[in-house]
Each structure stands twice: as structure tokens, then as C-alpha cells.
Amino acid sequence: MSETGKFGQYGGQYVPEALMPAIEELTDAYERYVLDNEDGFMDEFRERLRDFGGRPTPLQYADQLSERYDTDVYLKREDLLHGGAHKLNNALGQVLLAKYMGKDRIIAETGAGQHGTATAMAAAHLDMPCEIYMGRTDINRQRPNVFRMRLNGAEVNPVTVGRGTLKEAISETMRDWATTVETTHYVIGSIVGPDPFPRMVRDFHRVISDEMREQSLDRLGRLPDSVLACAGGGSNTMGAFAEFVDDDAVDLVAVEAGGSSLTVDEDEGVAPNSATLSTGVEGVLHGARTKLLQDSDGQIMESHSVSAGLDYAGVGPELAYLVDEGRVTPVNVGDDAALEGFHRLSQEEGIIPALETAHAFGYLHENPDAVGDVTLINVSGRGDKDLETVIEETEKRDLDVDVEMSVFESSGGAM
Ligand SMILES: *Cc1c(COP(=O)(O)O)cnc(C)c1O
């Protein structure tokens, strides 16, 4: 195992023998093309991120929030990246890398469908055939995303085993890859999986904090006091943190999904949250050692969050390490506070955020004194995809929000 793929005791390459050749080939390609810019790979990547993706994304001053919380709040607008979330940075990077490696087929897994749609978009852009594995349950819950993938020419393969969700889709994609490594690249969707994926996905998202740092110095003449980002697998988080890790004066805060409760029901094997960094225990999942939601027998528990993108029992090994080192502070915000954050940002700033992102705003609302004079928040995505969930969840809760819901109540909540 390559030592560079470890973050303290986390990370590594816990994969079946059949995948080792693919992992070794990918490690070699990552080091040559991404780290050493061989054949101008990184130049082409940056150019495509600019012209196809719309980078750089703005750093926007948030007038209302700044006044409300008495700190200067700036929003890194990854919701304005093509596709409506940060995910394209990684999908485009990996599909382009596959092309440089001479692969002619792309596969990926998706849960809520966000990573699948980003990968399908990147594959169409770069003219690569693409297949997406998606759990049957998720397909039924996320029909618009399934159609978006098909519109971009991708094939969507339903996974019917188990609960038919993300965990099973990942296993199925790994199985495909093990028999097709010669021709196929597997585009993993976050800073998870065996090395080199966590390092490589971080490096494709690093552009976020690269720009944040430069925009901050240009505009404010200084670095921020705090950077906040929501954390599921942790890719937008590490993207927003990477260039600040060595700046000790900058607080890095990872906001996880507190779900409905932090209390675990061991008998049911269910954690009603996805607070892996705050409550997880060390173990191995999907090829890496990291913090995981697991019971006392080491069984992976089901996670929960109102936002599908944070609903994952694992987390990137690098984030787990930075938390143990005390460099990143893990906090968590429950479903209700996230929904309130969603409504507040929509009403006060005219930005409808992804429910994932809304957790960061929930945290600022509950802890305005925990941040310094200048706070940067990574707006990882826009909330259009979440409207049906928000209608349903807002109706059934007693939230502190000022929005007219009656039209939906009288029509039975259908949209
Ligand atoms: C997928 C997603 C996330 C969570 O994934 P990370 O790897 O933790 O970044 C967060 N926000 C949005 C908008 C997403 O689509």
C-alpha cells in the first residue's frame, strides 16, 4: 500500500485483488497528469472548468446575513457552477483523466442522482459512453434526475439488491469495474474510496478554496476568520478547506447532518443522523479506513438526513484525520434547523440553497458567536432539486418560517 495514500491511520487501499491493477494504473495516472501536469492535463482541465463550467464562481457579500449575525458573511457561489453544484469539478476532472488514460467507458454510482447527473454531463461534454448505477428505491424517489442523466445520453442501471440505495449502488459499480478495468474508469463521487480517490477528488475540488483565498485577499486584503462548509462524504468541504489548512488562524468548520436526533437505536441498526465526524467510530468501508456510523458489533448502520446528499454512513479519510488532529471542527445541525436555514436564505438573500448547504446556514444561526469577523460559507449547490422535499417537510413540521404553504396543503401537497 502506498504510504502517500494515508492520512494518519485513515485512508489506504482495502480492495479485492481484482481491483489492484486498476488502482495502480489510476495512481500512476493521477501522479503524472494531475500532480505533474503531464501533456498539459491540468491546463485543459482549468480551461474546460472555465468555459463549460463557468469558473471562477463569485464570492458574494451577503448583506442581510451580515447584518443579522454581526459578522461579514461572504458566500462562495458553487451553486452557480454548471449543473447547480460543486460536483462538476470532480466529474469533469475524472472523465477528462479517463480520456487521457485511453479509457473508452465511464461508470459511476449515484444516490440522490446529483453525482450521476454531473458525471453524465461531463461524459456527454467529452463524448464518452457513460453508465450510472442507481438503487431502485432512489430511482423511484429521484425521477427528474434519472431523466436528466438519460437526456445527456447516459444509461441508468437499476440496482435491486438490498435496500436499493447508495450503498448497494457503490458495491455494484465496484463489481462492474473489477471485470472491465481495461476499458473503464469508475468516477467516484466524493473524497471517499481507496487511494488515490480521496487525494484526487480533493485536488479536483481544490479550485474552490484556491479561488476563495485569492478572492478574499483581493477584496478584503486578508484571510477569513472562519470557513464553513457542509459535510456528507466531504468533497465540497475539503475543496473549500484545502488551501486554508496551513493557515492556522483560519477556523475550518465542517457542518454535518444531525438528522432528527444524535441518539442511536442499536437494536434497529439505525442512526437517525449522518454525523459521522462527530459520532463515528473507526472502521473500513468502500476501500478505506475512516470514521463510520457503526454499531458495537461493527455493523454499518443506516444513516438519515432530510438532505439526500449528506445521508451517508462514512466520510472522507482526510477529513476524519483533520478532525482528530484538531484542525477541522466538526459540528452538526438537525433537520429542522437546516430547513429553517433553507427558508431564511431564500427569503433574505434571494438564494434558494441545496438542503445540504442549508445546514451551514443553520449552524451560523444557532452559533453566531462561534465565528469571527469575516466568515466564508461554501454554497455547495442550489435547491431546485429539493423543492418537493421542502414542501413535504415544511408542511409536517412546526418550523420558525414565514412562508405561505396553504396552496400546497389544499392541493394535497402535490407539485
Ligand atoms: C452531493 C452534495 C453534497 C455532499 O457531498 P460532499 O461530498 O460532502 O460535498 C453537498 N452539497 C451538495 C449541493 C451536493 O450536491
Side-chain angles (χ1 to χ4, degrees):
M1 188 183 301
S2 91
E3 274 308 299
T4 45
K6 304 280 282 203
F7 304 98
Q9 77 266 40
Y10 301 115
Q13 298 173 326
Y14 297 84
V15 297
E17 263 321 295
L19 277 182
M20 274 319 287
I23 294 291
E24 278 163 14
E25 188 189 352
L26 182 61
T27 304
D28 176 62
Y30 161 64
E31 287 171 355
R32 287 196 288 128
Y33 295 120
V34 181
L35 297 184
D36 296 341
N37 192 27
E38 198 173 301
D39 297 343
F41 171 86
M42 286 303 284
D43 304 320
E44 178 172 354
F45 174 51
R46 290 197 190 97
E47 203 173 285
R48 289 184 185 275
L49 272 183
R50 182 192 66 203
D51 297 346
F52 179 64
R55 302 212 72 95
T57 60
L59 185 71
Q60 179 217 330
Y61 183 68
D63 300 83
Q64 265 63 248
L65 295 187
S66 296
E67 192 175 332
R68 182 194 267 271
Y69 302 120
D70 199 22
T71 167
D72 284 335
V73 180
Y74 288 86
L75 309 176
K76 180 58 173 167
R77 300 291 308 275
E78 288 298 293
D79 59 316
L80 295 178
L81 189 66
H82 179 46
H86 67 290
K87 285 200 165 65
L88 182 70
N89 299 321
N90 170 49
L92 190 65
Q94 285 199 53
V95 176
L96 188 63
L97 186 65
K99 226 174 169 142
Y100 274 63
M101 291 170 73
K103 305 290 175 189
D104 55 19
R105 177 173 173 260
I106 295 296
I107 57 173
E109 88 294 339
T110 197
Q114 295 305 108
H115 174 57
T117 54
T119 305
M121 254 164 35
H125 173 63
L126 292 165
D127 194 22
M128 290 276 261
C130 174
E131 288 178 45
I132 307 288
Y133 286 92
M134 187 170 186
R136 169 65 70 192
T137 312
D138 287 333
I139 287 182
N140 292 332
R141 291 195 286 215
Q142 308 286 344
R143 284 157 39 93
N145 272 341
V146 175
F147 194 53
R148 283 167 79 190
M149 289 181 248
R150 290 193 173 142
L151 282 172
N152 284 142
E155 236 176 272
V156 180
N157 300 328
V159 178
T160 49
V161 293
R163 289 169 60 227
T165 60
L166 177 63
K167 195 148 76 54
E168 292 85 18
I170 295 179
S171 306
E172 208 52 38
T173 321
M174 292 247 180
R175 235 189 307 277
D176 178 322
W177 201 31
T179 62
T180 57
V181 291
E182 299 265 306
T183 58
T184 302
H185 176 65
Y186 173 12
V187 179
I188 282 188
S190 191
I191 53 162
V192 300
D195 182 70
F197 282 107
R199 293 189 280 157
M200 181 174 73
V201 176
R202 173 205 60 206
D203 287 344
F204 289 142
H205 281 301
R206 182 188 287 276
V207 61
I208 303 173
S209 53
D210 238 343
E211 290 173 8
M212 282 165 98
R213 205 168 189 287
E214 193 180 314
Q215 288 165 325
S216 193
L217 290 172
D218 272 4
R219 297 261 296 280
L220 315 171
R222 54 164 292 187
L223 294 178
D225 296 304
S226 320
V227 179
L228 268 56
C230 66
S235 68
N236 90 89
T237 333
M238 271 319 298
F241 291 176
E243 290 294 321
F244 295 111
V245 166
D246 293 335
D247 300 309
D248 290 337
V250 181
D251 287 337
L252 305 175
V253 183
V255 187
E256 299 192 283
S260 56
S261 163
L262 286 188
T263 311
V264 162
D265 183 346
E266 277 248 348
D267 295 337
E268 297 288 321
V270 174
N273 61 69
S274 308
T276 321
L277 290 170
S278 319
T279 70
V281 178
E282 193 179 323
V284 171
L285 178 68
H286 295 139
R289 178 171 292 280
T290 185
K291 287 181 194 283
L292 301 170
L293 298 178
Q294 52 187 321
D295 65 18
S296 41
D297 296 330
Q299 293 293 319
I300 306 299
M301 289 192 288
E302 266 177 47
S303 55
H304 162 80
S305 168
V306 70
S307 79
L310 300 186
D311 198 346
Y312 180 60
V315 68
E318 185 170 15
L319 262 186
Y321 169 72
L322 290 172
V323 163
D324 280 5
E325 291 287 290
R327 182 64 191 96
V328 168
T329 308
V331 299
N332 58 80
V333 162
D335 290 342
D336 285 7
L339 282 159
E340 289 171 3
F342 175 97
H343 286 288
R344 211 175 298 113
L345 196 70
S346 302
Q347 244 164 38
E348 298 188 3
E349 298 290 344
I351 297 169
I352 299 175
L355 269 176
E356 291 84 2
T357 314
H359 286 73
F361 293 96
Y363 175 75
L364 179 63
H365 188 71
E366 289 179 341
N367 306 276
D369 297 331
V371 298
D373 294 336
V374 175
T375 304
L376 267 47
I377 302 182
N378 191 33
V379 183
S380 56
R382 66 174 185 230
D384 306 52
K385 67 185 178 62
D386 294 318
L387 296 187
E388 276 194 74
T389 307
V390 170
I391 291 169
E392 209 175 289
E393 299 290 336
T394 303
E395 271 182 353
K396 73 181 190 207
R397 290 160 202 264
D398 185 22
L399 298 178
D400 178 20
V401 299
D402 178 24
V403 61
E404 181 57 61
M405 297 301 293
S406 59
V407 56
F408 301 113
E409 281 158 19
S410 60
S411 66
M415 197 190 147

